[in-house]
Amino acid sequence: MQPRTKGLVAAVTGAALGVTGLALVAMPAGADDAPNLPEISAQELVSSTLQADPPAFAGSVAVHNDLGLPSGVPGMDFADFDSARVFHDGDDGFRVSVQDGNAEYTLVANGDEAWAYNSSDNTATRFAAPDGDKTREQERAKGHHKGQRPEEMADPATAAQEIVQRLSETSTITVDGTARVADRAAYELVLTPKPSERTVLREVKVAIDSQTRLPLRLEVMANGTPEPIFSLGFDEFSVGEQPERLFDFTPPKGVKIEDATDKARERAEQAPAQGEKDAAERFGESLQVVGEGWDTVVTGAAGEELLSARPQMQDGERGMSERDKQSAKDLLERYGKRVSGEFGSGYVITTKAGSGLITDDGRFAVGAVPVQVLEQALTK
Amino acid sequence: MTATTWEDAPAVTTRRHRAPLARLLSSELRWIFRRPRTLVVLALLAIFPVIIGISVQLGTDGQPETSGDAPLFVSAITNALALPLGSLMMLLGLFLPLAVAMAGADAIAGEQSVGALRGWLLAPVVRGRLLGVKVFGVAVVAVVSAGLVALTGLVTGLIINGTDGLFTLSGTELSLVDALGRIGLAVAWVALQLLAVGAVALAISTTTEHPMLVVAMVLGGLIVSQVLGLFDALSWLHPFLLPDPWVSALPDLLRDPIAYDTLGEGALRAVSYLVIALSLAYARIVTRDG
């Protein structure tokens, strides 16, 4: 072969191979067509899900949230982890590792005890299951299987009927086709609000695995966006025996060990200041649920002083950022919209998943509903 | 280069015999490891983990730091496993690629600029074989530099803390053998990434006589890729960027069980880059005049 042809052949084949490899990496997995599954009614699907006994499996879970929450507000990053891995031994043991950047939060449970380990502060927390053995023995004596609670849950068919009935007062429940989640065939159970419901949500979809009948994915859709505003689901899922050692935890040397029950006791002993107690009581008592179904609104009174309170600097805590020093009112002014009406006046924050309203005198209302519904709830 | 090309050379000699491969490889290694710049870069690479280990130990007085920006190093003070991996992770950003880019630049462009490639005329070698020997040289530099960082990191960690507290981000304790296995895996993975960088350097190297140009282009490309990787709007492009998994993959080796997803993807990407770069380098080297 001439050097020129040889070179050309090498360049073209090599480049083609390499680009194919890169494309393989870039391609999103599991973008297959919806699988063909036998027809099933919503009630049957719910009933078989309730009956399902989770097998031993390993999987990884991803969260996507596009709720449209104002960014930069403290405390809003709760669902903001990279991914999590889940292992289940088909019995009492499970292990969840939540990955957050270079840190990891691990939860290990095996029937007798549970441990949580946080790598960012190198602390292991022990949760003792005080009567774990006893209750399990009792359950066994009664002949209950796992996944079934006594009384009304004893018969999954009845329970499913009840659940479906209760939900269908406010929503339409359908099995809307199939989907492929984590490369597994799944049914899509869809909850759609009845037209009379005043909500900003369009539907809630739960993908249920056709074989194990485990829920594999939860998606919340809102009006006006084709993509789910929130989705939590497996992106990898495989059924199979898991190594025993995954469900045991022995804190290594050099790790701070805390006991959850001790900690709770300590907290109880440190009686809160009288003022705090009052505020907490008032807050708890004032919570009210207005409406039902999809347009449920939670209202309450937080007290006027909470709005203007600024976070106090702790001793020895240096360099609080400007953001932390802002009072709740400053934040509301920045992210909220000023509204007024029969209920008084205040600020409203709207997200894709709902809205919240807080009045100047400290009353508030939150729900997955348009603002008008919140205003009505506060007027009542 | 004169009109006498490597390809013509065998015809001129009366008895055609091929130079033994082992001799070619060993002379290539001698060339590389006798260059003062190679030794200086390797020495700096070797010292880096020691500096990190000592400064973390002194800076925190042996107490875990609770509000650091680098959670990987929070456990490094008690952990001879995290120090080598953390050092590899930090150096993979720029310094380790610099070492292989220099080797790749010197291998062809550098030798050509000083006329050293003419020596290959005397030991008749076909051009494909020439490239093979050069790739071997770059691969050795990749393995040695990654291995050196891991080794000094491991030794520093063992000296500071002994074999105590070899535990993962998931809070499981590892035996020394298991920890060594994970470090070995990290070295192999990093060496593969470096080899991909080195292959790109070789490909550029075949097109120019200026080694500085090669180093500048490789490092410039890396920096551009890393900057592009910061923009969420370009997320469709990220799977095509070689350095995309460099920060996130190595901590996965500290998890229990190891999460192989990112590591596997990164390896496949590096192999793809390697294949593209080497085939282009081969095409260029066989068609090049003189």
Side-chain angles (χ1 to χ4, degrees):
Chain A
M1 245 197 293
Q2 287 293 308
R4 198 160 291 280
T5 20
K6 217 156 80 177
L8 202 66
V9 169
V12 170
T13 25
L17 273 176
V19 171
T20 316
L22 284 179
L24 271 181
V25 178
M27 219 157 52
D32 302 335
D33 295 335
N36 279 324
L37 292 173
E39 293 271 321
I40 189 168
S41 78
Q43 197 164 320
E44 276 173 306
L45 188 58
V46 174
S47 137
S48 61
T49 305
L50 291 176
Q51 233 171 339
D53 216 0
F57 70 86
S60 73
V61 176
V63 178
H64 297 285
N65 103 50
D66 182 24
L67 296 177
L69 294 173
S71 61
V73 178
M76 284 294 181
D77 45 4
F78 60 95
D80 195 19
F81 60 86
D82 295 349
S83 67
R85 292 187 294 158
V86 184
F87 305 87
H88 194 284
D89 70 352
D91 199 26
D92 288 326
F94 69 89
R95 177 193 189 90
V96 182
S97 316
V98 179
Q99 218 170 302
D100 189 9
N102 288 343
E104 185 172 297
Y105 183 81
T106 310
L107 188 67
V108 183
N110 58 15
D112 303 327
E113 52 172 11
W115 282 93
Y117 174 74
N118 187 347
S119 80
S120 60
D121 55 9
N122 201 14
T123 325
T125 314
R126 183 171 185 273
F127 302 89
D131 302 315
D133 287 323
K134 228 188 279 169
T135 41
R136 257 187 311 139
E137 270 160 32
Q138 282 170 356
E139 250 177 59
R140 230 169 262 150
K142 281 185 199 161
H144 281 308
H145 291 295
K146 270 186 294 52
Q148 297 179 4
R149 257 153 277 149
E151 291 109 41
E152 81 266 29
M153 286 293 181
D155 176 15
T158 335
Q161 201 180 355
E162 231 164 73
I163 291 176
V164 170
Q165 236 163 35
R166 209 176 303 147
L167 284 174
S168 52
E169 282 165 21
T170 52
S171 353
T172 324
I173 307 173
T174 47
V175 179
D176 187 18
T178 57
R180 207 163 262 287
V181 180
D183 216 22
R184 290 184 69 88
Y187 290 107
E188 287 269 34
L189 186 70
V190 181
L191 280 151
T192 322
K194 289 255 167 80
S196 58
E197 301 288 308
R198 295 168 302 174
T199 173
V200 294
L201 300 180
R202 183 156 49 100
E203 57 187 26
V204 173
K205 289 207 265 187
V206 184
I208 293 170
D209 188 59
S210 61
Q211 281 169 15
T212 64
R213 294 295 154 92
L214 284 180
L216 292 181
R217 186 178 65 192
L218 169 78
E219 284 179 320
V220 181
M221 324 288 269
N223 287 326
T225 41
E227 297 292 313
I229 52 167
F230 179 81
S231 100
L232 169 75
F234 287 99
D235 51 13
E236 263 168 56
F237 185 87
S238 58
V239 174
E241 279 294 299
Q242 300 303 319
E244 192 99 329
R245 58 172 196 91
L246 288 181
F247 308 104
D248 273 327
F249 185 88
T250 322
K253 269 182 265 171
V255 167
K256 261 184 290 169
I257 297 176
E258 283 171 358
D259 203 300
T261 43
D262 285 355
K263 235 159 114 186
R265 203 175 303 133
E266 250 170 57
R267 207 169 293 148
E269 276 163 12
Q270 289 173 353
Q274 195 57 37
E276 268 177 55
K277 236 181 190 165
D278 285 351
E281 264 167 30
R282 213 169 51 206
F283 182 76
E285 277 169 15
S286 70
L287 273 186
Q288 261 185 325
V289 176
V290 182
E292 56 173 13
W294 294 79
D295 47 26
T296 303
V297 173
V298 178
T299 62
E304 210 169 335
E305 63 279 2
L306 228 73
L307 268 184
S308 46
R310 277 161 203 277
Q312 296 293 309
M313 251 198 236
Q314 300 285 322
D315 280 345
E317 199 178 332
R318 282 173 303 136
M320 264 174 123
S321 73
E322 274 303 307
R323 206 180 71 191
D324 294 337
K325 281 189 219 150
Q326 291 167 339
S327 74
K329 195 154 194 165
D330 293 339
L331 285 171
L332 281 172
E333 227 150 80
R334 172 119 51 100
Y335 298 107
K337 213 177 71 193
R338 184 99 190 132
V339 285
S340 56
E342 266 178 63
F343 62 93
S345 59
Y347 296 93
V348 66
I349 291 180
T350 348
T351 72
K352 286 179 189 166
S355 35
L357 199 159
I358 183 153
T359 61
D360 292 339
D361 55 2
R363 288 174 303 139
F364 65 88
V366 189
V369 292
V371 183
Q372 293 83 341
V373 183
L374 293 183
E375 291 179 0
Q376 282 167 17
L378 280 180
T379 318
K380 271 176 201 168
Chain B
M1 279 276 142
T2 60
T4 322
T5 60
W6 308 316
E7 207 65 14
D8 298 332
V12 179
T13 50
T14 45
R15 197 164 56 90
R16 183 187 172 128
H17 67 273
R18 304 179 88 177
L21 188 64
R23 214 177 70 202
L24 287 179
L25 295 180
S26 67
S27 87
E28 177 68 19
L29 290 188
R30 252 198 322 275
W31 265 111
I32 292 173
F33 288 101
R34 272 187 186 166
R35 281 185 205 120
R37 53 180 173 276
T38 314
L39 297 177
V40 168
V41 168
L42 287 181
L44 286 175
L45 281 174
I47 291 172
F48 189 79
V50 183
I51 296 175
I52 298 180
I54 293 175
S55 53
V56 170
Q57 178 73 9
L58 291 182
T60 56
D61 279 335
Q63 287 301 309
E65 198 181 341
T66 45
S67 62
D69 286 330
L72 192 60
F73 290 115
V74 171
S75 41
I77 39 153
T78 51
N79 201 327
L81 174 66
L83 187 56
L85 291 185
S87 310
L88 278 175
M89 195 174 100
M90 286 181 78
L91 291 170
L92 190 53
L94 203 62
F95 210 165
L96 281 169
L98 174 72
V100 279
M102 277 170 54
D106 280 328
I108 296 176
E111 292 202 13
Q112 202 173 13
S113 67
V114 296
L117 272 188
R118 287 169 201 225
W120 291 74
L121 294 175
L122 302 175
V125 170
V126 291
R127 294 189 182 190
R129 227 158 159 230
L130 164 72
L131 185 65
V133 172
K134 295 301 184 188
V135 172
F136 170 77
V138 172
V140 169
V141 172
V143 173
V144 167
S145 46
L148 206 58
V149 171
L151 185 72
T152 54
L154 177 69
V155 171
T156 311
L158 288 178
I159 289 175
I160 295 179
N161 294 295
T163 53
D164 280 355
L166 289 171
F167 52 85
T168 61
L169 288 176
S170 314
T172 35
E173 201 146 12
L174 295 176
S175 65
L176 187 60
V177 178
D178 201 350
L180 287 179
R182 285 171 187 238
I183 293 172
L185 207 57
V187 170
W189 190 83
V190 168
L192 181 63
Q193 303 293 323
L194 292 178
L195 187 55
V197 175
V200 175
L202 273 178
I204 303 173
S205 195
T206 55
T207 64
T208 175
E209 282 188 17
H210 307 287
M212 267 314 286
L213 189 69
V214 180
V215 175
M217 280 180 78
V218 170
L219 293 188
L222 274 181
I223 292 168
V224 169
S225 310
Q226 284 169 358
V227 170
L228 289 179
L230 295 177
F231 294 106
D232 283 339
L234 296 174
S235 54
W236 55 271
L237 185 68
H238 293 177
F240 295 98
L241 301 174
L242 185 62
D244 185 48
W246 283 1
V247 180
S248 55
L250 285 177
D252 285 353
L253 283 171
L254 279 173
R255 302 182 199 285
D256 191 35
I258 301 175
Y260 285 105
D261 287 2
T262 320
L263 288 165
E265 265 175 33
L268 183 58
R269 192 171 325 181
V271 170
S272 304
Y273 264 82
L274 191 67
V275 170
I276 296 177
L278 286 187
S279 58
L280 292 182
Y282 179 77
R284 173 70 191 159
I285 213 165
V286 292
T287 53
R288 188 167 180 177
D289 295 323

